[in-house]
Amino acid sequence: MTISKNNLSLRIFNTLNKQTEQIIPIKDGHISMYTCGPTVYRDAHIGNLRSYLMADWIRRCLEYQGIRTTHIKNITDVGHMRQEVLEQGEDKIIDAAIKEGKTTSEIADFYTKRFLKDEKLLNILPATKFPKATDHIEEIIEMTSKLIEAKTAYEINGNIYFSIKNFKNYGKLSGNTQISNLLNNLRIEQDTNKINPNDFTLWKKAEKGRKLKWKSPWGYGFPGWHIECSAMSIKYLGNFFDIHTGGVDNIFPHHEGEIAQSEAYTGNQVVKYWIHGQHLLADGVKMSKSSGNSYILNDFKRLNIDPLAFRYLCLTTKYNTRLNFTFSSLKASQKALFRLQHRIWVISNEKKLENNTKVENQIPNWENKFLSCVYNNLDLPVALSITWELVKSDLPNQTKLKLVEKFDKILGLNLIKSIKYFKTPKDLQIKITKRSLSRSKKDFHYSDEIRNQLNNESYVINDYHTNTIVRPKMKWEKSKELWQTFSSSKEIKNLTNQPPKKKFSIGLVTFNKLSDIKRSIESALKFIDAKDIEYLILDNGSNFKIGKWLENISTKFKNIRTIHIDHSIGEAEAKNILIKQSIGEIIILLDTSIEISGDIFNPIDKTLSNKNIGLTGPFGLKTNDLNHFHDGEGEYGYMDAMQFYCFAFRRNIINEVGFMRKSFRFYRNLDIDYSFQIKNQGYKILADPNLPVIKHPHSIWNSTAPALRDELSKKNYKRFLDKWRNRKDLLEINQM
Ligand code: AMP
Ligand code: ZN
């Protein structure tokens, strides 16, 4: 048995027997591990990457113990009947690529390359092999045939199913044997061919027009979801191997299916330790494309964020707890990582000033302290704090460096290498010497001036009693922020308790459609210069070009102000920020599809001078039963809700009415929800169809796939109904 030099070795939670166990290699000195890898018709999102980081830390721990590892990470390059395939967004990407003449393998190659790049940027050790599903169809067919022979699988109409009743251990990993609930979630039609609805597919007959298909003894078809991992893990790691990793969502049905196939095929237990990582949430909710919070590593590039800041962030939460990702926490991690790397650079410079003290006896204690956390079910957050404790301690610098080098073999933060050795150029050295001289004469004005100058030239300088050291800034340290950006509404001050400073605030949420934004803003320009109006823009994570255009227009016109958010926060949050920051007595929220064609301000002011009216605008909605809203059809009068195209209210009602509900990330139906919030405080909603505005097509609506926008609208409608379904008393039809 391999035991590390200091008698410590990794103990980790095994999902199979629900116990934290010491990892004892099947073959002495060697571990075989398999990680469910990426699906390559899209980018891996940062949740997927968290799972790969977990596998990387496990592997680094084992290698630290002197164990050799063989690590297999599969590349799923064949589409399965999985949820994301059905999500409109992704189908569209694949469809579009195919229409452009790309083949499915070109799409897969493209995303495989991007995945490998992401892993490299995150310092994830490359797997020994990345086998592709499409290269293993033969093995898959062989395994399937053998399962049919063994009568654990059966054929119906060219489809092969695994019969769970013929495998007595089905459910041993997850405790689950039912897929019926899951089916509802996946929105997959029930397959009527199956004998038992919980049987799962090993091989699926190709439907008409399908491109990716292979010849098999059962006709043309393609493999089911789980079989590729059984086939490839056994091929490369054998009939009994040590570790299998994945995210918790893989436990059922994917890994349960894998166990059934592999064990029915080999006749014995195949995987010794099953290890699963908890999910990453984004902004508090499950990451999904349709919620608009599915981030990829490339999203960080624009914000000049070091990918390793994400690795650092993942180190701050244990692998078996959920991690709530926010851009604020990512930025905080980036700062912490820079501070740590900087300190280590300082330490390595101080080392040169140090006498050679004998310190080696301290090393085992610190190493043991660190490893006992890491090996204790991968308690990396504590290990990270020990690293900080170490660099801040009064240990001799040489000892610190030796230890940091060891720790970083596991942490993988480039702590030693991040700041390369730097030989100060001559002209810079002259400046520094001059500066040191002025410091010694206490001429701090001059020394600060040079410090600032160097800072602007992208150097970092550190002063000591006797000398000064300089280094170039790291790539990611150089701020590219051309304007201030915020990461969440929490960072933005609420001004609604202060008295108004203007008569009107116009609020506009913008995203990536410059022509709409221009039309909308330009249509308001002639009014905002003439009247007591501020124009507030919330740049909801737009691209650089739009961000810049908004900055320019805000500089040019003093009444226009832009607040930039570094990513797309939900619609309700975005509008809440506009409300929070408005200083006008009346707030008019406009949509970018609206062009102002005349004076809307006087009529709105007149309507809202009636204190019984809480909300006005041109496009009212009515309902008789809450189940269906229809528009006010050009009628002037009281309504049940007002559409967001143009939505005006007095700022002082916010204290009673409150802000919008954050759970509405998509815009649709948020307007009826907020209308009801306003009505619930006893206010009326008046539609004035004569307000001079032109309504153009709505670009977000038009650019969202029909199935997706319907789904998002429905979800929001349900949120609305869950809160208001018993409040028919608020309806106009029930008012006297
Ligand atoms: P997939 O590409 O969906 O097969 O996922 C690749 C890996 O990422 C699997 O191990 C999943 O369990 C894992 N995974 C998926 N979503 C998340 C998430 N939000 N957080 C952490 N891991 C995830
Ligand atoms: Zn898998």
Side-chain angles (χ1 to χ4, degrees):
M1 185 172 100
T2 307
I3 301 210
S4 60
K5 289 159 252 158
N6 38 31
N7 273 344
L8 285 170
S9 65
L10 180 63
R11 293 171 57 77
I12 201 154
F13 186 80
N14 185 353
T15 314
L16 189 61
N17 51 21
K18 319 279 175 288
Q19 272 171 23
T20 306
E21 296 182 313
Q22 185 181 2
I23 302 277
I24 301 170
I26 297 169
K27 273 197 221 113
D28 199 14
H30 179 255
I31 286 272
S32 294
M33 71 189 264
Y34 185 90
T35 295
C36 284
T39 309
V40 288
Y41 45 77
R42 52 154 160 83
D43 281 308
H45 61 53
I46 55 173
N48 301 140
L49 294 173
R50 184 188 185 202
S51 286
Y52 305 132
L53 280 167
M54 175 196 75
D56 186 57
W57 280 311
I58 292 171
R59 181 171 155 193
R60 283 167 180 267
C61 284
L62 296 166
E63 292 185 354
Y64 197 91
Q65 287 171 239
I67 296 173
R68 212 164 48 79
T69 57
T70 302
H71 188 193
I72 301 296
K73 193 176 282 177
N74 67 303
I75 302 280
T76 299
D77 57 351
V78 46
H80 301 303
M81 303 159 291
R82 299 184 53 184
Q83 185 173 14
E84 63 261 28
V85 189
L86 299 175
E87 273 186 17
Q88 277 295 323
E90 291 190 356
D91 269 350
K92 258 179 44 176
I93 297 171
I94 301 170
D95 273 0
I98 289 173
K99 274 193 197 111
E100 274 173 32
K102 289 205 181 88
T103 62
T104 42
S105 77
E106 278 167 348
I107 300 169
D109 284 350
F110 175 79
Y111 286 107
T112 304
K113 283 203 186 96
R114 284 168 65 100
F115 169 72
L116 296 175
K117 190 171 160 211
D118 280 356
E119 284 216 317
K120 193 160 180 219
L121 287 169
L122 286 174
N123 248 353
I124 294 177
L125 300 173
T128 319
K129 197 168 171 59
F130 293 94
K132 293 199 269 183
T134 53
D135 287 341
H136 295 81
I137 301 295
E138 209 177 296
E139 287 82 351
I140 290 171
I141 290 175
E142 195 267 327
M143 187 174 255
T144 307
S145 306
K146 198 156 170 213
L147 292 173
I148 297 174
E149 269 169 42
K151 303 223 176 331
T152 43
Y154 57 92
E155 183 200 344
I156 293 184
N157 293 335
N159 298 294
I160 315 293
Y161 302 100
F162 187 94
S163 166
I164 63 164
K165 87 170 187 335
N166 292 347
F167 179 72
K168 69 174 188 327
N169 280 333
Y170 191 71
K172 75 169 175 180
L173 182 73
S174 61
N176 201 353
T177 55
Q178 302 282 321
I179 55 164
S180 38
N181 283 340
L182 210 88
L183 270 176
N184 290 336
N185 292 338
L186 293 185
R187 290 169 286 138
I188 293 171
E189 274 174 43
Q190 193 93 14
D191 184 342
T192 48
N193 286 320
K194 291 179 185 176
I195 295 174
N196 174 343
N198 295 315
D199 290 345
F200 59 86
T201 309
L202 298 175
W203 186 263
K204 183 112 182 107
K205 183 179 175 164
E207 69 280 10
K208 235 188 166 154
R210 188 183 170 90
K211 287 214 168 69
L212 215 55
K213 61 182 175 193
W214 292 266
K215 201 170 170 190
S216 80
W218 321 286
Y220 278 94
F222 60 100
W225 170 12
H226 321 305
I227 191 87
E228 66 171 273
C229 287
S230 286
M232 289 189 268
S233 61
I234 290 176
K235 171 166 178 181
Y236 293 103
L237 301 175
N239 283 359
F240 186 39
F241 64 90
D242 301 278
I243 296 177
H244 196 310
T245 74
V248 284
D249 60 310
N250 276 170
I251 298 175
F252 188 85
H254 183 51
H255 290 163
E256 199 66 71
E258 212 182 305
I259 290 179
Q261 298 158 163
S262 299
E263 297 194 359
Y265 176 76
T266 60
N268 56 266
Q269 179 178 349
V270 173
V271 177
K272 195 171 174 197
Y273 306 100
W274 283 94
I275 305 172
H276 293 99
Q278 255 299 352
H279 268 178
L280 179 127
L281 309 179
D283 299 325
V285 288
K286 185 173 180 288
M287 252 189 343
S288 74
K289 256 220 157 93
S290 55
S291 302
N293 65 344
S294 172
Y295 306 114
I296 61 171
L297 203 61
N298 209 29
D299 291 334
F300 303 163
K301 202 165 152 190
R302 188 172 68 103
L303 307 173
N304 205 40
I305 287 184
D306 183 349
L308 288 181
F310 179 67
R311 188 174 176 111
Y312 188 102
L313 176 64
C314 290
L315 279 168
T316 62
T317 306
K318 269 196 77 170
Y319 80 97
N320 55 359
T321 18
R322 287 197 203 162
L323 166 61
N324 182 27
F325 171 86
T326 63
F327 278 80
S328 313
S329 61
L330 180 66
K331 284 180 177 170
S333 293
Q334 161 124 316
K335 273 196 191 135
L337 175 63
F338 286 171
R339 277 206 313 271
L340 189 56
Q341 289 169 333
H342 178 77
R343 261 184 192 262
I344 290 161
W345 171 72
V346 171
I347 291 170
S348 54
N349 275 284
E350 286 176 353
K351 187 185 87 173
K352 295 178 204 142
L353 310 173
E354 200 172 63
N355 293 329
N356 266 346
T357 29
K358 231 183 161 358
V359 288
E360 301 299 317
N361 59 351
Q362 297 268 18
I363 290 182
N365 293 343
W366 277 86
E367 190 181 6
N368 277 1
K369 191 168 150 182
F370 178 85
L371 290 178
S372 60
C373 295
V374 173
Y375 291 165
N376 173 22
N377 203 15
L378 225 52
D379 195 347
L380 293 164
V382 179
L384 187 60
S385 65
I386 291 171
T387 311
W388 270 104
E389 205 184 302
L390 168 76
V391 297
K392 288 180 180 171
S393 73
D394 52 11
L395 281 179
N397 292 316
Q398 300 190 43
T399 314
K400 285 186 189 175
L401 285 178
K402 280 217 169 94
L403 282 162
V404 167
E405 199 169 349
K406 280 172 177 282
F407 294 2
D408 203 37
K409 288 212 165 80
I410 290 177
L411 301 176
L413 291 172
N414 270 2
L415 293 178
I416 300 287
K417 279 187 284 177
S418 61
I419 301 174
K420 295 192 185 65
Y421 173 72
F422 173 64
K423 190 168 183 311
T424 323
K426 218 172 176 181
D427 53 334
L428 189 61
Q429 193 53 54
I430 294 170
K431 263 188 202 163
I432 294 165
T433 316
K434 257 181 157 174
R435 183 173 168 274
S436 300
L437 213 72
S438 63
R439 265 167 49 91
S440 65
K441 287 188 207 146
K442 301 220 167 347
D443 178 1
F444 293 116
H445 176 74
Y446 179 77
S447 72
D448 285 350
E449 200 180 293
I450 298 219
R451 169 189 282 275
N452 291 341
Q453 189 191 339
L454 289 181
N455 232 322
N456 291 342
E457 285 169 21
S458 300
Y459 290 101
V460 174
I461 63 179
N462 251 55
D463 291 320
Y464 293 91
H465 293 308
T466 51
N467 75 330
T468 296
I469 55 173
V470 184
R471 66 169 171 89
K473 282 185 181 169
M474 292 177 281
K475 178 177 166 203
W476 306 99
E477 251 179 320
K478 293 179 201 162
S479 171
K480 266 199 206 148
E481 220 166 69
L482 296 174
W483 46 76
Q484 188 178 20
T485 58
F486 298 91
S487 292
S488 96
S489 68
K490 286 196 202 94
E491 296 167 14
I492 293 165
K493 214 171 153 193
N494 180 3
L495 306 177
T496 54
N497 291 323
Q498 298 176 10
K501 295 200 175 82
K502 295 218 180 249
K503 182 72 190 175
F504 296 97
S505 286
I506 300 179
L508 188 79
V509 178
T510 67
F511 191 55
N512 289 339
K513 181 94 174 140
L514 188 56
S515 53
D516 283 13
I517 299 169
K518 270 186 182 166
R519 183 188 58 218
S520 164
I521 296 175
E522 281 162 4
S523 77
L525 280 179
K526 55 176 175 282
F527 301 99
I528 58 175
D529 257 10
K531 275 192 189 283
D532 189 15
I533 300 171
E534 72 152 348
Y535 199 116
L536 200 55
I537 299 162
L538 193 284
D539 166 14
N540 200 8
S542 321
N543 61 36
F544 178 77
K545 190 173 150 207
I546 292 184
K548 190 153 182 249
W549 190 86
L550 292 170
E551 263 312 285
N552 285 346
I553 196 141
S554 312
T555 320
K556 204 157 148 203
F557 297 93
K558 69 176 190 335
N559 287 342
I560 301 184
R561 187 154 63 94
T562 301
I563 300 168
H564 300 274
I565 304 292
D566 57 17
H567 65 292
S568 180
I569 52 174
E571 187 71 17
E573 277 284 75
K575 288 199 156 70
N576 283 342
I577 292 175
L578 289 173
I579 297 173
K580 266 178 154 180
Q581 282 276 302
S582 289
I583 51 168
E585 194 182 315
I586 289 173
I587 299 177
I588 307 172
L589 298 179
L590 288 181
D591 187 84
T592 52
S593 61
I594 292 295
E595 182 181 346
I596 301 176
S597 56
D599 177 14
I600 59 170
F601 302 97
N602 283 318
I604 286 177
D605 185 25
K606 200 162 154 239
T607 302
L608 291 178
S609 65
N610 176 348
K611 299 288 181 269
N612 294 324
I613 296 174
L615 177 60
T616 188
F619 309 110
L621 291 170
K622 279 186 164 180
T623 180
N624 293 334
D625 54 7
L626 283 174
N627 291 322
H628 176 73
F629 280 80
H630 55 94
D631 68 37
E633 285 160 11
E635 198 185 308
Y636 179 97
Y638 291 134
M639 298 282 149
D640 290 310
M642 184 56 59
Q643 299 189 56
F644 262 152
Y645 300 112
C646 174
F647 193 95
F649 51 95
R650 284 183 307 281
R651 178 176 174 264
N652 64 8
I653 68 169
I654 296 303
N655 290 338
E656 303 160 63
V657 171
F659 287 93
M660 299 186 195
R661 291 202 280 153
K662 264 168 67 166
S663 48
F664 286 79
R665 286 189 63 97
F666 186 60
Y667 77 97
R668 204 128 216 256
N669 295 331
L670 169 61
D671 46 8
I672 59 174
D673 193 70
Y674 199 56
S675 296
F676 271 63
Q677 244 169 276
I678 294 176
K679 282 207 315 191
N680 193 33
Q681 295 302 323
Y683 293 112
K684 290 276 189 192
I685 298 178
L686 185 95
D688 178 359
N690 299 321
L691 287 173
V693 296
I694 302 166
K695 191 164 115 193
H696 295 276
H698 196 271
S699 60
I700 297 186
W701 184 254
N702 287 341
S703 63
T704 310
L708 180 61
R709 68 193 188 197
D710 285 351
E711 183 194 326
L712 295 174
S713 309
K714 261 193 211 141
K715 274 191 190 156
N716 276 354
Y717 204 84
K718 183 171 178 302
R719 282 192 183 99
F720 163 77
L721 276 181
D722 285 349
K723 184 162 178 194
W724 302 106
R725 69 160 51 88
N726 296 324
R727 296 302 307 276
K728 296 213 170 74
D729 58 300
L730 294 173
L731 304 188
E732 272 311 312
I733 199 172
N734 297 326
Q735 306 284 310
M736 275 299 102

